[in-house]
Amino acid sequence: MLGLFWEFHGGVRLNRHKELSSEQPLAVAPIPKQLIYPLQQRGGRNAEPLVAVGDTVLKGQVIAQDSHPLSAPIHAASSGVVTAIESRAIPHPSGLDDVCIVIDTDGEDRAVRFRSLKDFRRSKVPTLRQRIQDAGIVGMGGAAFPTSAKLNTGGRAIDLLVLNGAECEPYITCDDCLLRSWPERVLGGAAILMRVIGVERCIVAVEADMPEAAKALEAVRIRDGYEHVEIVKVPSKYPTGGEKQLIQVLTGREVPVRGIPADVGVVCQNVGTAAAVYAAVTEGKPLIERIVTVTGPGIAQPQNVLARIGTPIAELTAFCGGYTPQAQRLVMGGPMMGLALPSDELPVIKSTNCILVADLAAMGGEKQPMPCIRCGACAEACPVNLVPQQLYWHSRTDQLKKAQNYNLFDCIECGCCDYVCPSQIPLVQYFRAAKGRILAKQGEQRKAEHARLRFEARQNRKEQEKREKAEAMARKKAALEQAQAAAAATASAPTDKEQS
Ligand code: SF4
Ligand code: SF4
């Protein structure tokens, strides 16, 4: 299970705090009073509401959908009544509000009929793909990109499926918990995904310090005869769990900077995604729940919780004993790459792997930035070979073109550079802000270009109309002149009388 690994450049060793949540058994959260569904689920395109205020809905019912391939349907996680479809704050990096469907649950948990498909080995591949699409499955490692779209590899030759269970953020243990609790679902999902992609080899990667997860997987692998699946323990270095870094560690293949894993013959899915695929295919169950790690010094009973998607975070933290006096920050995800949340009224979405209730120390302490001393430590730590100090300089001085020339948009915002910087410069903050300014500018330029094209089209249309009008006038005039000439000719011709 441990073997030869390839190294990726950079990365850091982080202090781990996984014991906070990993030592408790998986808990099941009760039905919340309210479920909230942002139509924007972080990745992919927004879905369109299929319900109206006042509608009664059942558990598993599709409440929002769009026909675009980059959109995943959204399903109600319990029965109740739609009480609002309105703009609210959502857990999204944009920080902008978006439309949410709000359901007041009735506590009865009445469900639609889930159609199971027991023997997936005999099912046709298009049927399996359709099931994955209909179940609204997205990447559950954080990106939330629709899985059915990711399985479409555009005709590239694929020879390997990688299931990513390498949780490298220091507080998150939901994948570890999933692998220990339901290894058969993960390996069942692997078998379905292998069939859909058409590959004969799969690696399930777990971190070296997840021995129980590896053991549980290995036992099922042998028991159920998954001979084409390897369970591999990868070294605990951050960010090994990044898709591109993991593929490099496992195979030595380097995914091109702006490429995707399929470019090097690999499809990579999170282990949670594989388990969701298994449930969708064998039970007909859409993605309506997931395991969430609720942890950090600010929560009374850190643990992993099976929560319904749409559950307000406040209900989840209350279920975990409420906040402690240390609670200072609320983060969705881990301290390195997580999203700071403005309030606990926001809901769990499909990509919510962790709710971290942090104190300042958990977030790296209060920073007192000092001038850059050009030590180069940030460049050594950068897993995508960028030069963060240069990016920092250009971002700080608003030289956005130069920042782009230094490949600002290749930055995965992993925070390794921040972590090692002796001058405590919040580098990622600068990079995010610079990206935001560039995107805003590009948006403005696109708008201006759009307006220019519209103006030109209107001018052309006007010119054309003018030309057509002039041509019509000319034709009319010519016809009139012709008619007049004919009339004159008739008038001047001698009559029969005159001739006689
Ligand atoms: S690690 Fe910090 S101080 Fe050192 S070069 Fe990078 S930005 Fe400058
Ligand atoms: S945050 Fe960006 S620049 Fe910094 S180490 Fe990560 S990828 Fe490199």
Side-chain angles (χ1 to χ4, degrees):
M1 291 206 292
L2 261 172
L4 174 67
F5 296 110
W6 284 263
E7 270 285 329
F8 62 87
H9 178 267
V12 289
R13 308 252 168 211
L14 300 171
N15 292 331
R16 299 165 74 79
H17 305 279
K18 299 201 179 227
E19 69 296 338
L20 280 178
S21 57
S22 67
E23 284 166 10
Q24 311 303 321
L26 176 63
V28 180
I31 303 170
K33 290 188 200 73
Q34 202 168 64
L35 291 161
I36 305 165
Y37 296 98
L39 298 179
Q40 170 59 261
Q41 290 274 320
R42 195 147 187 183
R45 287 216 343 178
N46 281 19
E48 292 292 326
L50 299 182
V51 289
V53 173
D55 284 359
T56 300
V57 294
L58 298 175
K59 173 174 162 178
Q61 181 178 330
V62 184
I63 55 169
Q65 190 164 29
D66 188 278
S67 57
H68 194 278
L70 292 186
S71 176
I74 299 171
H75 304 74
S78 192
S79 57
V81 175
V82 178
T83 50
I85 300 178
E86 62 190 16
S87 193
R88 290 186 174 205
I90 62 163
H92 194 271
S94 69
L96 300 173
D97 291 3
D98 203 0
V99 178
C100 297
I101 299 175
V102 182
I103 296 169
D104 280 1
T105 56
D106 57 17
E108 295 175 19
D109 214 23
R110 284 168 297 127
V112 298
R113 204 169 138 253
F114 297 139
R115 287 179 305 116
S116 59
L117 183 71
K118 289 287 176 218
D119 195 359
F120 63 83
R121 287 179 183 83
R122 285 170 196 254
S123 303
K124 294 199 172 95
V125 167
T127 308
L128 298 175
R129 278 184 187 275
Q130 194 60 49
R131 283 230 158 191
I132 293 167
Q133 159 73 29
D134 293 346
I137 298 172
V138 301
M140 291 171 74
F145 193 72
T147 301
S148 55
K150 207 171 168 189
L151 293 175
N152 186 355
T153 54
R156 295 171 181 87
I158 307 296
D159 65 353
L160 176 65
L161 169 69
V162 170
L163 290 194
N164 188 350
E167 279 178 315
C168 52
E169 278 267 12
Y171 282 88
I172 308 178
T173 58
C174 62
D175 288 347
D176 186 21
C177 178
L178 168 77
L179 293 169
R180 284 186 283 127
S181 309
W182 296 317
E184 62 289 337
R185 295 191 197 182
V186 175
L187 293 189
I192 296 168
L193 289 168
M194 286 166 77
R195 192 162 146 68
V196 169
I197 306 159
V199 295
E200 301 227 318
R201 188 173 168 228
C202 169
I203 298 177
V204 185
V206 300
E207 282 218 319
D209 57 3
M210 289 162 65
E212 280 183 45
K215 217 162 113 189
L217 282 167
E218 190 60 19
V220 173
R221 190 186 77 82
I222 293 167
R223 186 193 72 193
D224 295 349
Y226 289 111
E227 66 265 25
H228 298 303
V229 178
E230 294 162 59
I231 317 298
V232 174
K233 288 197 247 175
V234 293
S236 303
K237 180 170 97 163
Y238 178 84
T240 302
E243 188 174 73
K244 292 183 177 178
Q245 286 72 32
L246 182 62
I247 290 168
Q248 187 164 2
V249 166
L250 292 172
T251 67
R253 302 179 201 174
E254 211 166 320
V255 181
V257 174
R258 274 159 219 146
I260 57 170
D263 293 331
V264 294
V266 181
V267 167
C268 187
Q269 299 283 353
N270 173 263
V271 286
T273 311
V277 163
Y278 184 74
V281 170
T282 62
E283 299 166 25
K285 198 170 175 186
L287 183 53
I288 54 173
E289 60 188 11
R290 65 159 299 146
I291 300 178
V292 181
T293 305
V294 184
T295 189
I299 194 84
Q301 292 155 18
Q303 59 194 309
N304 280 293
V305 182
L306 183 65
R308 291 170 202 246
I309 289 158
T311 302
I313 289 162
E315 292 206 33
L316 212 52
T317 49
F319 175 69
C320 295
Y323 300 115
T324 69
Q326 280 84 43
Q328 281 171 313
R329 301 243 168 107
L330 196 59
V331 178
M332 189 174 276
M336 298 299 282
M337 292 186 82
L339 178 71
L341 298 179
S343 101
D344 61 7
E345 287 166 19
L346 274 60
V348 167
I349 55 173
K350 293 180 183 184
S351 57
T352 306
N353 51 4
C354 177
I355 299 298
L356 171 63
V357 191
D359 58 5
L360 275 181
M363 300 306 293
E366 194 71 84
K367 295 200 167 182
Q368 302 292 341
M370 288 170 287
C372 170
I373 54 169
R374 303 231 163 231
C375 63
C378 51
E380 272 169 43
C382 178
V384 277
N385 286 303
L386 299 177
V387 192
Q389 74 263 36
Q390 212 58 44
L391 283 176
Y392 159 64
W393 179 251
H394 295 319
S395 302
R396 205 187 128 175
T397 52
D398 214 28
Q399 300 185 69
L400 299 177
K401 194 84 219 141
K402 285 191 181 164
Q404 277 180 277
N405 292 343
Y406 273 88
N407 301 319
L408 174 68
F409 279 93
D410 294 346
C411 167
I412 56 172
E413 298 176 16
C414 66
C416 289
C417 50
D418 260 27
Y419 188 77
V420 299
C421 177
S423 295
Q424 303 199 17
I425 301 169
L427 295 160
V428 182
Q429 272 182 35
Y430 281 101
F431 305 157
R432 276 195 194 130
K435 282 182 188 175
R437 287 200 299 278
I438 293 168
L439 291 175
K441 259 191 188 173
Q442 286 172 347
E444 288 301 315
Q445 278 165 358
R446 262 199 307 277
K447 264 195 221 156
E449 179 64 7
H450 193 63
R452 186 184 68 77
L453 290 174
R454 262 208 335 243
F455 175 77
E456 281 179 8
R458 204 173 59 230
Q459 288 299 100
N460 288 343
R461 212 172 47 240
K462 274 188 177 168
E463 293 288 323
Q464 174 79 8
E465 281 168 10
K466 219 161 129 188
R467 260 200 315 277
E468 284 172 2
K469 217 168 164 182
E471 282 166 12
M473 287 283 284
R475 276 199 303 277
K476 214 168 161 185
K477 199 174 160 200
L480 194 66
E481 282 170 1
Q482 226 173 6
Q484 281 170 348
T490 314
S492 60
T495 60
D496 291 349
K497 210 175 164 184
E498 280 167 346
Q499 279 171 2
S500 65

